[in-house]
Amino acid sequence: MIVEYIRYELKQHQPDELVTAYRQASHQLQQAPQCLGYELSHCVEEPRSLTLRILWTSTEDHLQGFRKGPHFPPFLAAIRPFIGEIAEMRHYQSTDVVWHR
């Protein structure tokens, strides 16, 4: 499993606009077999900063499967206005340093 983080620093849009766009786009993530889950978080200290965390089966499945599959075009259409406000978009692999209560 791979975790993709997409960090937004909004300058042109309001946070509620991004949340609304991802509510619309999320259906495509839910339908994609490569996607294992997602979470959009809003920064408490910086209200115009939001981070999307997406769990993918693998980086290749995300880039070759999802992005070249039928769910990507409508997903992209929903979030396209916010692409210029992405501060970071990278894939991460979890380590063994983890704990949950």
Side-chain angles (χ1 to χ4, degrees):
M1 178 180 69
I2 292 293
V3 183
E4 178 187 23
Y5 288 98
I6 305 170
R7 187 170 51 85
Y8 290 89
E9 296 294 336
L10 300 179
K11 293 176 177 50
Q12 301 171 9
H13 295 92
Q14 297 300 314
D16 61 325
E17 294 175 294
L18 182 67
V19 171
T20 297
Y22 270 105
R23 279 193 186 115
Q24 295 171 353
S26 66
H27 178 72
Q28 300 304 320
L29 292 174
Q30 292 170 17
Q31 297 302 310
Q34 303 88 353
C35 181
L36 302 174
Y38 58 85
E39 175 184 37
L40 180 61
S41 299
H42 186 259
C43 181
V44 175
E45 294 84 10
E46 295 291 333
R48 299 180 73 85
S49 179
L50 292 93
T51 300
L52 179 67
R53 176 179 175 262
I54 307 177
L55 305 176
W56 297 104
T57 50
S58 70
T59 304
E60 183 176 345
D61 285 349
H62 170 220
L63 299 177
Q64 301 301 317
F66 178 71
R67 285 201 180 171
K68 293 183 178 180
H71 302 290
F72 185 66
F75 172 83
L76 182 61
I79 60 124
R80 185 181 305 277
F82 305 93
I83 289 176
E85 296 174 274
I86 293 174
E88 177 185 13
M89 182 169 49
R90 296 186 179 176
H91 296 94
Y92 291 83
Q93 188 166 19
S94 297
T95 69
D96 62 350
V97 181
V98 61
W99 183 79
H100 298 281
R101 186 173 297 266

